[in-house]
Amino acid sequence: MISMQSNSSANVTFVRPATFFINGFFNIPHAKYYYVFLSLVYVVTVLGNSFIMCIIYLARRLHTAKYIAVFHLALADLCGSSALIPKLIDIFLFKHQDISYDACLANMFFVFHFMNLQSLTLLVLAYDRLVAICFPLQYHAIVTKPAMFLIIGVMWIFSVTFIASMVILITRLSICRSNVVNSYFCDHGPIYRLAYNDNTINIIMANICFGLLVCMPLILIMVSYFCIALVLLKIAQGVDRIKAMKTCTSHFMLVAIFYVPLLGINIAALATFIHPNARIINNSLTQTIPPMLNPIIYTLKTEEVMQSIKELYKRNKVNTRLLQSKRLNTKGY
């Protein structure tokens, strides 16, 4: 039996369950090993993104507008994974599948908010590459640190406002048929489908969210790369063209691993029936693998970052030797 709570406002009563039950996989033996795998992914994600943020913070050559955006992407990746994976581990490995109504909505907000920030930050990085290649002489005048902080601030305001509105609208649904959420976290779609009153506005918000979160940023990124391609075709020397293309490689890889699986599962869902287990695996990997790979790609594929790591390593090595020499001189004295 589902425990119910009622809330009256303007002569309207909304029925809410005291808890939701996160269902997870359907009849998959040894599913716990998949969650163990995700916990390992989380460890790598925390280490990788913490490392890239430390490098950007410590290396003065990376104190630029572009790397403010890269730092923000690493922060969004770290926070997004932290909002999802630890709770997922607690739910399925420690069998705490019942989650309170308010905690469920909070989980929904943070997962979608940071996922939205990841998508928007990839768009900002595409804008950075567009200006750098198409308007190289004006780059430092257009893409400044104050401008980047302003863009990131606007992103946060927009994301918090929109995702909070989407979550608040859930509270206007009466849910009493079932409290079982057929997903691996407090997902928006599976929850609003549990309502027995009109959920049209929630469906509209879900479609707008998909458009703003996935479609619109990806379209703008593709437009930016089309403009970049036109400029590169006009570059006479092949060496300069290859050098310019290399600056886009890491970003293009991030875009591919973030958007392709996300678009693929949604397009496939329109064309055919997808088993809930397949949807859970695809969506969970889409939300957890890119944050793990992003710092690795930026470390290995970006020459500036690799050079900064080498410089910091050499500086640390010199400081260590000086400290050891000072200790020896002190003992000798």
Side-chain angles (χ1 to χ4, degrees), residues 51-77:
F51 176 74
I52 200 73
M53 286 191 290
C54 287
I55 294 299
I56 294 171
Y57 177 77
L58 294 173
R60 292 182 180 179
R61 61 158 37 197
L62 300 181
H63 292 180
T64 62
K66 173 188 173 182
Y67 284 98
I68 290 172
V70 174
F71 185 96
H72 184 261
L73 178 63
L75 179 64
D77 286 341

Side-chain angles (χ1 to χ4, degrees), residues 18-33:
T19 62
F20 285 106
F21 181 85
I22 310 300
N23 200 36
F25 287 115
F26 291 87
N27 300 321
I28 291 185
H30 310 298
K32 64 180 181 180
Y33 294 114

Side-chain angles (χ1 to χ4, degrees), residues 46-108:
V46 171
L47 294 175
N49 285 287
S50 299
F51 176 74
I52 200 73
M53 286 191 290
C54 287
I55 294 299
I56 294 171
Y57 177 77
L58 294 173
R60 292 182 180 179
R61 61 158 37 197
L62 300 181
H63 292 180
T64 62
K66 173 188 173 182
Y67 284 98
I68 290 172
V70 174
F71 185 96
H72 184 261
L73 178 63
L75 179 64
D77 286 341
L78 180 60
C79 293
S81 293
S82 297
L84 179 66
I85 300 178
K87 189 62 183 176
L88 185 147
I89 293 169
D90 179 58
I91 289 171
F92 298 109
L93 286 185
F94 297 100
K95 303 299 181 182
H96 298 153
Q97 290 177 259
D98 285 302
I99 180 172
S100 70
Y101 182 88
D102 292 335
C104 188
L105 295 190
N107 178 251
M108 182 192 301

Side-chain angles (χ1 to χ4, degrees), residues 65-66 128-129 131-133 135-144:
K66 173 188 173 182
D128 173 83
R129 291 300 83 203
V131 177
I133 294 175
F135 308 99
L137 299 179
Q138 292 83 27
Y139 175 77
H140 294 290
I142 298 173
V143 185
T144 62

Side-chain angles (χ1 to χ4, degrees), residues 248-317:
C248 300
T249 303
S250 56
H251 178 258
F252 190 80
M253 291 176 68
L254 300 185
V255 170
I257 63 175
F258 182 85
Y259 287 107
V260 170
L262 203 58
L263 278 176
I265 192 68
N266 282 278
I267 293 172
L270 294 174
T272 183
F273 170 77
I274 297 178
H275 194 278
N277 289 341
R279 183 184 292 273
I280 287 174
I281 291 173
N282 182 85
N283 289 345
S284 59
L285 291 177
T286 299
Q287 288 180 275
T288 56
I289 296 300
M292 181 187 71
L293 294 180
N294 289 351
I296 297 172
I297 291 171
Y298 257 106
T299 301
L300 298 178
K301 287 289 183 180
T302 308
E303 188 176 341
E304 290 172 300
V305 176
M306 288 298 295
Q307 191 62 35
S308 297
I309 293 171
K310 291 175 183 177
E311 289 175 0
L312 289 172
Y313 175 74
K314 289 178 182 178
R315 189 194 309 171
N316 183 63
K317 200 171 182 180

Side-chain angles (χ1 to χ4, degrees), residues 1-45:
M1 182 179 293
I2 302 172
S3 175
M4 296 294 172
Q5 297 175 344
S6 296
N7 183 35
S8 299
S9 177
N11 298 323
V12 178
T13 300
F14 301 105
V15 183
R16 302 168 183 171
T19 62
F20 285 106
F21 181 85
I22 310 300
N23 200 36
F25 287 115
F26 291 87
N27 300 321
I28 291 185
H30 310 298
K32 64 180 181 180
Y33 294 114
Y34 179 72
Y35 302 120
V36 171
F37 164 72
L38 291 182
S39 67
L40 295 176
V41 168
Y42 179 64
V43 171
V44 176
T45 300

